[in-house]
């Protein structure tokens, strides 16, 4: 069993900052791709930022220069520092990790329950 839990969402004024956290626990042999996604009502979930399997970072264009993804060396915690927030950043933010639970299993996607970020004055 693997559990992914996000925290750190909330209400912030435009121009403000928030830091989201994601913890991954359980039966973990290896963690591959990790990322932050967001979703608003009626729209598809979209990638915000991610670590590739090689440890490179990718960001969607609209958050480049404002958001920073990071993680601890053991990859069991991941963060999203969000600065200069805009109303269009309002969404439920999800953490996703591809986890291999043992040496002889494949990687499976695990998602957190999401944390609400609201940017409004």
């Amino acid at each position: 069993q693997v559990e992914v839990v996000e925290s750190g969402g909330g209400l912030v004024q435009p121009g403000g900052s928030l830091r989201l956290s994601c913890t991954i626990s359980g039966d973990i042999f290896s963690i591959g791709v990790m990322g932050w996604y967001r979703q608003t009502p009626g729209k598809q979930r979209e990638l915000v930022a991610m670590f590739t399997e090689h440890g490179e970072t990718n960001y969607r264009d609209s958050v480049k220069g404002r958001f920073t993804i990071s993680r601890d060396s053991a990859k069991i915690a991941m963060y999203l520092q969000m600065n200069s927030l805009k109303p269009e950043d309002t969404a439920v933010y999800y953490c996703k990790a591809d986890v291999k639970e043992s040496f002889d299993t494949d990687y499976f996607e695990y998602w957190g329950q999401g944390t609400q970020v609201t940017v409004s004055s």
Side-chain angles (χ1 to χ4, degrees), residues 8-118:
L11 172 64
V12 63
Q13 292 187 340
S17 298
L18 280 176
R19 186 179 191 235
L20 304 183
S21 298
C22 171
T23 58
I24 305 162
S25 61
D27 298 325
I28 300 170
F29 176 79
S30 176
I31 299 177
V33 175
M34 303 172 70
W36 288 97
Y37 293 73
R38 67 188 181 189
Q39 188 170 24
T40 55
K43 294 188 177 180
Q44 286 192 332
R45 194 170 295 186
E46 62 184 25
L47 174 67
V48 177
M50 67 177 290
F51 285 101
T52 70
E53 59 183 352
H54 303 297
E56 298 167 335
T57 56
N58 289 331
Y59 296 89
R60 71 180 301 105
D61 287 345
S62 62
V63 308
K64 285 180 181 177
R66 300 188 298 122
F67 291 12
T68 303
I69 190 172
S70 63
R71 64 185 176 185
D72 70 349
S73 58
K75 302 183 191 176
I76 58 173
M78 183 172 65
Y79 309 95
L80 186 68
Q81 178 66 42
M82 304 185 294
N83 298 327
S84 302
L85 281 160
K86 304 176 181 180
E88 51 263 42
D89 295 317
T90 296
V92 177
Y93 283 71
Y94 297 90
C95 171
K96 190 208 78 164
D98 293 348
V99 179
K100 190 177 174 72
E101 294 184 48
S102 66
F103 72 95
D104 59 347
T105 61
D106 293 328
Y107 283 96
F108 289 95
E109 290 185 354
Y110 289 92
W111 292 85
Q113 80 290 348
T115 184
Q116 176 70 46
V117 172
T118 302

